[in-house]
Amino acid sequence: MADRTLYEKIWSSHVIRDYEDGSSLIYVDRHLLHEVSTPQSFLAMEEKGRTLHRRSANLAVPDHAVPTVDRHKPIADPLARAQTQRLIENVARHDIPFIPLDDLRQGIVHVVGPEQGFTLPGITLACGDSHTSTHGALGALAFGIGASECGIVMATQAIRQRRAKTMRVTVTGTRAPWITAKDIALTLIARIGANGASGHAIEYAGPVISAMSMAERMTLCNMSIESGARVGMIAPDETTFDYIAGRPLAPTGEMLERALAYWKTLHSDPGAVFDREVTIGVTGLAPVVTWGNSPEDVLPIDGCIPAPAAEPDATRRGRRERALSYMGLSAEAPIEGTPIDAVFIGSCTNGRLEDLRAAAAIATGRKVAPGVRAIVVPGSGLVGRQAEAEGLVEIFRTAGFEWRAAGCSMCVAMNGDRLEPGQRCASTSNRNFEGRQGAGGRTHLMSPAMAAAAAVTGCLTDVRKLVGAEA
Amino acid sequence: MKPFTTIESHAAYLPATNIDTDIIFPARYLLLLDREGLGQYLFRDRRYEDDGTPVPDFVLNRAPFTDAKVLIAGSGFGCGSSREQAVWALTGHGICCVIAPSFGEIFASNSLKNGLLPLILSEELTADLGARAKIGAIFTIDLQNRVLKVDGEAVAPIDIPEDQRQALLNGWDETDILVKEEGERIAAFEQSHRAAQPWLFLETRL
Ligand code: SF4
């Protein structure tokens, strides 16, 4: 057989049939559900009198709209309460495995799936959420879908799609301290553009990726959608297998042995041809932040805001001008030192234990700057418990950060955690779109350590300067 | 889904690139449980002031574009969040076709599930059509004959895969087709998949 890419291997092992028009019907092994994207999916399924295809292919958890405070009380916002209640009723009616809000395992779908062993190498996984690409970090073919498609997947366990083109992103070089997966993801998006990988499935490869922890791999795959790619993936290796072993829903014993034998075949063959190859060298990279309203608007922290006049294309020049005015920034000014009002550490991009450790390392012995509101939201209750056990929660509280219960929180600002108009936020989330963290709010994306550094200085800060040369 | 019929309408032009689904439909309205009635939230934060007064120079607030059925936009339209509400807001407002040089992928597939045609044309042609839209040209989207006309003159073929064209023209529901026509194939696939990777079929006990 000809040499194949990882994507092609997983894709072809899930094709139920190929149609003449070039699309295929593919089998979906796993479906993750949350409260926001599924009410209409259940309605559509039930209107037609259809039933759920296979119970154990599904896992549901509320995350987007849930409050991160006062979790022992009923949800205060009537709309959020109704939506969460709707999920409870829907999953009960179809006997879908469900993690309720008061369960320690509750959290953001993309943190919970891998954490519970629901996400496995070689599977197809769908969820009504664009950051489903996160799960590709385990060597899964995972992609976001819309609410109608969620209904289709629930009823049939299948979906009609076109095979994506493939793009390999090879990451080479030596990372300096404080250069995280987030910096690499943003650097890639800046390089290829917010639509640069549109129509492609990205595979991340190379020595820097092999050396990454699972949390970092998830950060990287998570951000794939911000370059337009529906899918980001990394070939499973010993790091992956170690991560999976012992997770509650992962196979054990002889079943695990069989699975491992298969999972070890899941890598791009040496002669596999990608439609596109991109190489990112990380040597000499500085920590980056975004300045505008697209994740491609990236600057090294020691850089200056680009001038619209320098952009020859009129449409892009217009977008830059609009972004500068929305963000309240001046062309050619240094980004470092820009005062902030808020800090958000969390989300499916950077709400895992290692992210909290990195932020806590900066918060240790320091205080949140006066006038800055900084919140830390763990990606799941289990992440939160571990953070508590390691003393991170104590560090955050002592430093003046608010410690919250798990959920999407200020990444999408649906649950009451949001910016006021004009407020500026150093955020570890994934989108700096206009109004993303609240109407009129201004978002700068960055790594957890950089966000923590901003919290303690009150402005966008080069974490390397803060900790000094010793780090 | 309603069958897609030939459209004749003004076109509203939003030249910006990367108009994401948060701009099309702000997240705070995702708490609503319905698919209907979302047209009022379309481009909410660009179309209206905080107090609900219309922003006078936003294209959908200006005659004759208030009831345009065609939207022309820059590349990357519908990037970002997978929220299908972005499509429901567009169709709820009466938009039947969006023309852009590229689309967010999930947005494009959501569109096709809801009778909204995402039409990809070159950057140059899109800008050219945008300029004509601005001065009030009438756009004809004739999906039956695969042709886009401006003021009665053919300007581009409508080049979309035949299955998608048929689904739009006939108003087909994809699940209906899967359930009716593919049930046996899905079951057969599942059986052999289960034999090959039995660890994927363990019963979930939380
Ligand atoms: S944390 Fe943000 S990006 Fe991730 S699933 Fe929640 S809302 Fe979406």
Side-chain angles (χ1 to χ4, degrees):
Chain A
M1 196 180 287
D3 281 0
R4 292 183 302 164
T5 64
L6 170 62
Y7 174 81
E8 286 159 351
K9 285 181 184 180
I10 304 181
W11 172 272
S12 60
S13 69
H14 287 84
V15 171
I16 299 168
R17 86 174 274 201
D18 289 317
Y19 296 98
E20 280 158 20
D21 61 41
S23 66
S24 302
L25 187 63
I26 66 163
Y27 188 78
V28 179
D29 292 311
R30 297 276 194 265
H31 179 223
L32 279 162
L33 298 84
H34 63 83
E35 77 282 24
V36 174
S37 64
T38 56
Q40 297 87 353
S41 324
F42 279 101
L43 273 179
M45 180 171 76
E46 291 169 3
E47 259 165 23
K48 302 261 178 164
R50 298 192 181 110
T51 52
L52 187 76
H53 182 85
R54 187 161 68 80
R55 164 189 187 275
S56 290
N58 300 279
L59 178 64
V61 61
D63 58 1
H64 280 62
V66 302
T68 54
V69 289
D70 293 337
R71 282 277 271 269
H72 53 286
K73 295 186 194 155
I75 300 176
D77 176 354
L79 288 178
R81 188 169 66 237
Q83 196 163 58
T84 307
Q85 185 57 31
R86 181 70 71 86
L87 180 68
I88 294 171
E89 291 158 12
N90 283 337
V91 297
R93 218 164 38 254
H94 296 275
D95 188 29
I96 289 174
F98 177 60
I99 299 175
L101 197 50
D102 59 3
D103 191 304
L104 199 56
R105 297 168 295 181
Q106 180 271 341
I108 307 166
V109 272
H110 310 311
V111 175
V112 170
E115 192 170 73
Q116 290 301 315
F118 184 74
T119 310
L120 295 172
I123 62 169
T124 47
L125 182 149
C127 172
D129 190 281
S130 60
H131 290 97
T132 306
S133 58
T134 311
H135 305 261
L138 286 88
L141 173 47
F143 46 85
I145 57 178
S148 294
E149 290 177 317
C150 289
I152 296 173
V153 168
M154 286 195 277
T156 66
Q157 218 58 51
I159 195 166
R160 191 165 172 170
Q161 274 197 351
R162 288 185 151 66
R163 191 159 112 170
K165 287 188 245 162
T166 53
M167 177 191 287
R168 177 160 55 191
V169 174
T170 305
V171 186
T172 61
T174 311
R175 278 200 272 171
W178 308 108
I179 303 305
T180 67
K182 183 65 158 289
D183 298 286
I184 296 172
L186 288 170
T187 300
L188 171 67
I189 299 162
R191 167 92 72 85
I192 65 175
N195 295 306
S198 171
H200 290 75
I202 298 179
E203 179 178 343
Y204 300 93
V208 175
I209 306 298
S210 306
M212 277 185 176
S213 68
M214 288 313 294
E216 290 187 295
R217 294 179 189 189
M218 286 187 237
T219 301
L220 196 53
C221 288
N222 172 279
M223 295 289 288
S224 303
I225 185 74
E226 308 311 332
S227 63
R230 206 171 183 176
V231 167
M233 58 206 312
I234 293 171
D237 59 10
E238 290 305 321
T239 304
T240 323
F241 306 145
D242 288 348
Y243 175 90
I244 291 168
R247 305 233 159 230
L249 300 177
T252 54
E254 195 205 338
M255 221 37 136
L256 179 61
E257 292 308 313
R258 277 184 76 177
L260 280 168
Y262 172 63
W263 293 345
K264 287 178 181 166
T265 69
L266 295 174
H267 50 76
S268 291
D269 296 322
V273 178
F274 290 79
D275 295 298
R276 202 172 152 200
E277 296 266 10
V278 174
T279 301
I280 299 277
V282 296
T283 309
L285 214 64
V288 296
V289 296
T290 63
W291 61 269
N293 298 119
S294 165
E296 72 184 31
D297 299 335
V298 174
L299 274 180
I301 183 64
D302 49 12
C304 290
I305 297 159
E311 171 60 61
D313 177 82
T315 309
R316 277 187 220 113
R317 190 163 59 240
R319 200 181 67 71
R320 273 194 191 178
E321 277 162 1
R322 188 183 166 94
L324 283 184
S325 118
Y326 182 87
M327 294 297 290
L329 296 170
S330 317
E332 294 174 338
I335 191 80
E336 192 178 354
T338 308
I340 53 148
D341 307 290
V343 173
F344 171 61
I345 296 172
S347 88
C348 59
T349 311
N350 282 129
R352 297 182 185 79
L353 189 62
E354 289 175 43
D355 302 312
L356 303 191
R357 283 181 188 148
I362 300 302
T364 304
R366 297 190 172 92
K367 291 277 181 210
V368 171
V372 172
R373 178 170 176 228
I375 68 172
V376 186
V377 186
S380 73
L382 290 174
V383 168
R385 182 176 69 178
Q386 189 60 30
E388 182 101 56
E390 291 185 11
L392 308 183
V393 177
E394 190 53 37
I395 292 171
F396 285 126
R397 286 207 170 114
T398 307
F401 288 80
E402 292 173 38
W403 173 258
R404 299 296 187 83
C408 295
S409 180
M410 215 198 273
C411 172
V412 66
M414 289 185 65
N415 72 335
D417 300 339
R418 63 163 176 268
L419 300 176
E420 297 304 321
Q423 281 191 328
R424 186 181 303 285
C425 181
S427 179
T428 67
S429 55
N430 40 56
R431 287 187 173 139
N432 52 356
F433 298 162
E434 285 179 29
R436 173 75 180 189
Q437 295 192 290
R442 295 162 170 165
T443 303
H444 296 273
L445 304 175
M446 64 196 73
S447 72
M450 285 285 288
V456 299
T457 60
C459 59
L460 300 182
T461 294
D462 189 337
V463 64
R464 299 171 304 179
K465 289 188 193 159
L466 184 71
V467 298
E470 91 279 6
Chain B
M1 191 166 98
K2 269 201 323 225
F4 192 100
T5 50
T6 297
I7 306 166
E8 267 192 32
S9 152
H10 287 102
Y13 184 34
L14 284 171
T17 56
N18 296 339
I19 295 179
D20 56 70
T21 53
D22 276 83
I23 295 176
I24 302 172
F25 190 87
R28 57 190 184 277
Y29 303 113
L30 293 175
L31 293 172
L32 302 169
L33 294 167
D34 297 317
R35 272 176 296 193
E36 310 299 327
L38 303 184
Q40 56 184 309
Y41 307 113
L42 178 66
F43 299 118
R44 174 63 182 72
D45 296 337
R46 294 210 172 175
R47 203 167 136 210
Y48 300 104
E49 305 288 358
D50 291 349
D51 64 5
T53 43
V55 173
D57 62 353
F58 187 75
V59 62
L60 293 182
N61 293 332
R62 281 188 284 125
F65 306 111
T66 45
D67 49 8
K69 294 189 170 70
V70 178
L71 193 68
I72 302 176
S75 59
F77 188 84
C79 63
S81 157
S82 59
R83 64 191 65 165
E84 199 159 320
Q85 283 84 350
V87 173
W88 298 331
L90 285 161
T91 56
H93 181 77
I95 307 279
C96 304
C97 172
V98 184
I99 299 172
S102 64
F103 289 95
E105 275 177 63
I106 307 175
F107 174 85
S109 54
N110 287 342
S111 297
L112 292 163
K113 307 269 177 312
N114 292 282
L116 177 72
L117 171 65
L119 182 57
I120 298 176
L121 297 177
S122 72
E123 211 140 321
E124 228 178 5
L125 186 54
T126 306
D128 183 47
L129 295 178
R132 296 181 69 178
K134 269 199 201 162
I135 52 172
I138 297 293
F139 283 64
T140 307
I141 313 284
D142 184 351
L143 189 57
Q144 194 74 53
N145 296 302
R146 298 188 186 85
V147 63
L148 168 67
K149 293 182 197 162
V150 178
D151 288 337
E153 169 211 348
V155 293
I158 296 180
D159 191 14
I160 65 165
E162 189 52 20
D163 60 313
Q164 295 175 1
R165 195 177 76 97
Q166 289 302 335
L168 285 171
L169 285 173
N170 294 296
W172 281 333
D173 174 329
E174 189 173 350
T175 312
D176 270 336
I177 301 176
L178 292 192
V179 171
K180 278 188 207 130
E181 297 179 7
E182 306 292 8
E184 280 176 29
R185 276 196 191 84
I186 294 170
F189 177 90
E190 196 166 56
Q191 208 178 351
S192 62
H193 196 49
R194 186 190 290 260
Q197 299 186 45
W199 60 87
L200 298 182
F201 292 83
L202 307 170
E203 270 306 303
T204 300
R205 310 227 176 286
L206 286 173

